């Protein structure tokens, strides 16, 4: 054995299980063993010391955390497991299989929420599918909030909806009954804001982020956000000013794209009946995920996605965000897009010829005027005739 | 006789709490040897313990709970890291889209990525994540080469050469950043 160690270098020592074990957990026996070798000069003492020194400095490098921090984490773990336990107990209370099955479904949702703490799942299309059936409300005439089973309709062309950090709601500065701010598991409840054509709303979320919600738009959002991320679903057009929170990235999902941000302002347009998706960044950084490619925008950039192609270009963001002030600015915009947009604002049906006219317009429209007035002005620049029948407008280019 | 996990004997009132008491420090230390993000490390520890709690029956059959915990923790931590990287990358280097794609495919094999998580100074500066892990498990936790190879999922020979190269770098660092030894 002694002979075995005689020509060991420090590296050899560090590769030796017995050496490591006896330095990490010295016993009388191992101490005697090594001191004998040293005394008898049966090992290279310099190499032995060098190995010891390296081992020592590595072991000094062990990280420690304060006990308070460790205890805090335990409290969190304990809480998480209690919430699993509670749900588990409920199963035994029910004897009827159908009800039990229903409960199991609920529990698996709860567990999913606990474990699936990663920011976003990959399959964009499936996640909000159950909501997507609900979003089609063609006959909707007032701005509507759906919270759990309650429906609240708000009269008037515009509405201001505010959630505070405790999850309670005020509409047009009128505080709702505090009992309506659900006390139990408020963060899991998703609400829906439906803004019909011809109306607009502003929505302040629980984290302070502000959304301007354009006509013909549905937003699905939670009363309170989770600890790990913030996520909403949008069909239509919003302008968003997202409160910065590094620990909780904000994701805006649409039917086929995902926009991720930390804190920033941007405009997003993803109407079901429009052939394009658009994101315009005002400031900050956003990352757009669509068809498995990710695109990242700098301020002043416009992202457009049509069919299977997407591209990014520099624009004046004001053009795309001025609608929230009741002004619609457009620049080199196909006349069809402008007319569709107007149809949404004024809640009228605009019938366009199937073939695109190829006409592009630039200008500025005050949206407070009535639609007939705007159309008659526009028809001169856009070279079209139009006929009206109630709320239906038929366009014909010449 | 099937191996029985000592934490699930009748004498232990709260096995999970006891396990946490015994291993939390080790997991923190191991995590911090990989990356300096304590929040992410805590998330990973949290998830691992909740997973254990949800799967007690399976766990009862595992004899080396320390090794199991370390492996599970490491997997979880790397998963969290991988998921968060997309975000971190965006913020850190805004114009580096190509690199972002690399990191999504397999970041651990990406030398450039590893370098980004390297420490700037101190004893372990210049070591890759793998090397730091191996050093930690071998010299601080005192694990055998077999155990390390199981955790890192590489063969024993690779563990050996990983350690070899790591020690050489450390030796150079000792000269650069001298540490007092009595």
């Amino acid at each position: 054995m002694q002979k075995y160690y005689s020509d060991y270098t420090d590296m050899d020592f560090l590769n030796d299980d017995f050496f490591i074990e006896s330095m990490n957990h010295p016993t009388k026996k191992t101490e005697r063993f090594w001191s004998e070798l040293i005394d008898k000069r049966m090992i290279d003492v310099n190499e032995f010391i060098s190995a010891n020194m390296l081992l020592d400095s590595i072991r000094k490098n062990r990280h420690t955390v304060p006990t308070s921090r460790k205890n805090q984490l335990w409290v969190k773990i304990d809480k998480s497991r209690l919430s699993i336990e509670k749900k588990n107990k409920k199963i035994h209370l029910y004897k009827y299989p159908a009800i039990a099955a229903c409960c199991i479904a609920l529990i698996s949702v709860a567990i999913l929420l606990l474990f699936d703490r990663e920011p976003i799942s990959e399959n964009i299309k499936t996640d909000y599918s159950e909501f997507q059936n609900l979003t089609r409300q063609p006959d909707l005439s007032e701005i509507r909030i759906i919270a759990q089973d309650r429906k609240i309709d708000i009269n008037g062309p515009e509405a201001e909806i505010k959630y505070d950090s405790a999850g309670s709601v005020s509409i047009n500065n009128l505080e709702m009954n505090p009992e309506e701010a659900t006390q139990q598991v408020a963060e899991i409840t998703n609400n829906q804001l439906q803004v019909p054509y011809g109306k607009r709303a502003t929505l302040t979320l629980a984290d302070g982020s502000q959304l301007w919600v354009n006509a013909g738009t549905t937003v699905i959002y939670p009363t309170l956000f989770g600890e790990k991320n913030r996520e909403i679903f949008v069909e239509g057009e919003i302008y968003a000013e997202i409160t910065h929170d590094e620990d909780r990235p904000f994701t805006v999902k649409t039917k086929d794209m995902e926009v991720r941000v930390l804190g920033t302002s941007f405009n997003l347009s993803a109407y079901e009946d429009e052939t394009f998706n658009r994101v315009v960044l005002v400031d900050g950084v956003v990352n757009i995920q669509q068809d498995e490619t990710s695109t990242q925008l700098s301020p002043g950039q416009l992202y457009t996605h049509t069919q299977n192609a997407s591209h990014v270009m520099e624009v004046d963001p004001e053009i795309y965000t001025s609608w929230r002030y009741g002004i619609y600015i457009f620049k080199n915009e196909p006349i069809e897009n402008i007319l569709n947009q107007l149809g949404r604002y004024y809640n009228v049906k605009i019938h366009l010829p199937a073939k695109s006219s190829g006409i592009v317009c630039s200008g500025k429209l005050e949206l407070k005027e009535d639609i007939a007035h705007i159309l008659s002005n526009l028809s001169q620049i856009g070279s079209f005739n139009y006929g009206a029948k109630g709320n239906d407008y038929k366009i014909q280019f010449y | 006789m099937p191996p029985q996990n000592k934490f699930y004997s009748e004498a232990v009132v709260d096995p999970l709490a006891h396990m946490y008491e015994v291993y939390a420090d080790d997991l923190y230390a191991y995590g911090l040897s990989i990356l300096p993000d304590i929040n992410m490390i805590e998330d990973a520890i949290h998830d691992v313990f909740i997973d254990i709690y949800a799967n007690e029956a399976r766990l009862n059959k595992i004899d080396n709970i320390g090794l199991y915990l370390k492996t599970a923790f490491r997997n979880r931590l790397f998963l969290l890291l991988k998921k968060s990287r997309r975000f971190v990358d965006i913020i850190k280097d805004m114009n580096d889209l190509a690199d972002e794609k690399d990191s999504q495919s397999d970041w651990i094999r990406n030398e450039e990525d590893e370098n980004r998580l390297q420490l700037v100074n101190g004893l372990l500066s210049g070591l890759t994540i793998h090397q730091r892990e191996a050093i930690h498990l071998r010299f601080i936790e005192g694990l055998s080469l077999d155990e390390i190879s199981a955790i890192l999922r590489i063969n024993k020979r690779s563990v050996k050469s990983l350690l070899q190269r790591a020690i050489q770098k450390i030796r150079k660092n000792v000269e650069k950043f001298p540490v007092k030894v009595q």
Side-chain angles (χ1 to χ4, degrees), chain A residues 209-227:
Chain A
S209 295
Q210 206 168 5
L211 310 181
W212 280 259
V213 184
N214 209 346
T217 301
T218 300
V219 182
I220 297 165
Y221 57 96
T223 312
L224 289 172
F225 290 107
E227 281 175 18

Side-chain angles (χ1 to χ4, degrees), chain A residues 10 15 17 20 53 55 61-63 69-70 73-74 80-81 85 115 117-118 228 262 296, chain B residues 14 17 20 25-26 29 39 42-43 46-47 50 53 76 83 87 94 124 138-139 164 171 181:
Chain A
D10 55 356
N15 274 327
D17 280 336
I20 306 249
M53 204 185 78
L55 186 58
N61 234 55
R62 184 190 160 97
H63 298 272
R69 194 149 186 145
K70 210 175 84 185
L73 179 57
W74 171 252
S80 297
R81 81 167 159 170
E85 202 165 26
F115 283 104
R117 290 143 58 89
E118 299 82 48
K228 289 285 140 187
L262 281 179
Q296 166 193 322
Chain B
D14 186 346
Y20 183 81
D25 281 328
D26 280 356
N39 290 323
E42 288 184 335
D43 281 350
H46 171 276
D47 294 352
I50 289 303
Y53 184 72
R76 188 73 204 165
K83 300 230 162 170
F87 232 94
M94 296 199 195
L124 300 182
R138 177 77 169 142
F139 299 117
Q164 199 98 7
R171 199 176 7 210
V181 182

Side-chain angles (χ1 to χ4, degrees), chain B residues 82-145:
Chain B
K82 194 176 165 186
K83 300 230 162 170
S84 78
R85 286 189 70 76
R86 295 184 194 168
F87 232 94
V88 175
D89 278 354
I90 295 161
I91 306 308
K92 272 193 184 147
D93 30 41
M94 296 199 195
N95 300 316
D96 214 344
L97 266 178
D99 195 57
E100 156 92 345
K101 272 183 194 136
D102 274 350
S103 74
Q104 278 176 359
S105 55
D106 197 356
W107 68 274
I108 192 75
R109 271 169 241 278
N110 187 338
E111 200 63 37
E112 219 176 295
D113 261 322
E114 284 206 27
N115 287 336
R116 253 193 254 159
L117 277 166
Q118 280 180 5
L119 308 171
V120 231
N121 56 32
L123 189 74
L124 300 182
S125 64
L127 270 70
T128 64
I129 293 183
H130 261 91
Q131 289 173 341
R132 289 205 303 271
E133 276 186 279
I135 288 285
H136 177 88
L137 296 172
R138 177 77 169 142
F139 299 117
I140 295 179
E141 306 230 357
L143 297 189
S144 71
L145 294 180

Side-chain angles (χ1 to χ4, degrees), chain A residues 140-144 194-200 215-217 344:
Chain A
L140 190 70
S141 60
E142 301 295 345
I143 295 171
R144 174 175 286 178
Q194 300 178 346
V195 180
Y197 291 146
K199 314 234 167 184
R200 268 173 295 149
T217 301
R344 278 195 289 268

